[in-house]
Amino acid sequence: MLLSCENSIKEVQSITSNEKTPERSGKDVEFIFTDSTRIKYRAFAVEFIDVKTEDKEYQDFPKGGKITSYDDDGTVAGQIEANYAKHFTSDQLWELRNKVIAVSDDGKTINTELMYWDQGKGLIYSDQYVRITTDDGQVLEGIGFSSDDKMDKITLKKVTGEVYLNDETEQ
């Protein structure tokens, strides 16, 4: 008896490929990050891909989304939206790109094309053009900034813009 089979090289390569497919993926997903049963962050995404390879592990959000952070009492502390995001889970680092808008609970808004959010250190920062609008309408622009993630202490680099100061000295 003689048996034989035939496969094309492309079929064999596709079956034995080292390329990894996503561990998890989904559409219209919500992630809830908690600490001691309190909600710290909620992340919403149109599309989610969990990527794990030998040398890297991250969550990819190719169509962007929104992250909302909460204070200990459950009130909204701020929000960040972007058209693309990547979360490096082991480093607790978010990379946010394309029309990034961060809004603090007191009305400050940061607009940029690239922002990093280091959850472990509680920092947000960028080395790109940034536009900051305060709740009273003042606009500051610069190249690069760093801030705590509540946007209470913002350091703007290479600053341009107009700042209005109140003269609180008695005359």
Side-chain angles (χ1 to χ4, degrees):
M1 177 186 277
L2 182 62
L3 297 174
S4 160
C5 65
E6 182 179 321
N7 291 81
S8 74
I9 294 296
K10 286 184 180 182
E11 284 179 310
V12 172
Q13 287 175 340
S14 72
I15 293 171
T16 61
S17 171
N18 288 336
E19 212 175 287
K20 295 213 175 194
T21 57
E23 300 252 336
R24 294 179 291 167
S25 64
K27 295 188 185 280
D28 297 319
V29 295
E30 177 181 3
F31 294 91
I32 299 174
F33 301 88
T34 61
D35 182 16
S36 302
T37 71
R38 290 195 173 128
I39 295 176
K40 299 300 283 179
Y41 309 102
R42 292 174 90 148
F44 304 89
V46 175
E47 185 177 349
F48 159 74
I49 303 167
D50 195 15
V51 178
K52 291 183 182 177
T53 64
E54 290 178 18
D55 58 340
K56 59 187 170 184
E57 179 178 333
Y58 61 91
Q59 296 169 329
D60 195 34
F61 302 88
K63 295 184 179 177
K66 177 169 72 172
I67 302 167
T68 304
S69 62
Y70 297 90
D71 286 327
D72 288 338
D73 64 0
T75 60
V76 173
Q79 292 184 340
I80 300 175
E81 292 184 51
N83 288 343
Y84 173 82
K86 186 183 280 188
H87 182 217
F88 299 94
T89 49
S90 61
D91 296 329
Q92 294 185 326
L93 181 68
W94 286 84
E95 176 185 320
L96 305 144
R97 292 185 176 270
N98 306 330
K99 295 185 182 177
V100 182
I101 302 169
V103 181
S104 68
D105 64 346
D106 64 357
K108 283 190 282 295
T109 303
I110 296 177
N111 297 77
T112 187
E113 288 299 308
L114 171 67
M115 181 185 295
Y116 293 97
W117 174 31
D118 188 325
Q119 285 178 283
K121 294 179 181 174
L123 297 173
I124 57 174
Y125 57 92
S126 178
D127 62 357
Q128 303 292 308
Y129 167 81
V130 62
R131 179 183 175 106
I132 299 173
T133 308
T134 62
D135 60 339
D136 62 356
Q138 294 185 58
V139 177
L140 298 171
E141 296 175 325
I143 306 297
F145 83 99
S146 63
S147 174
D148 62 301
D149 57 6
K150 294 185 187 281
M151 294 169 42
D152 289 330
K153 298 175 184 171
I154 300 173
T155 302
L156 189 58
K157 301 172 185 170
K158 297 182 185 175
V159 182
T160 61
E162 291 185 26
V163 178
Y164 306 102
L165 302 173
N166 292 332
D167 186 4
E168 296 183 8
T169 60
E170 290 188 42
Q171 299 186 358

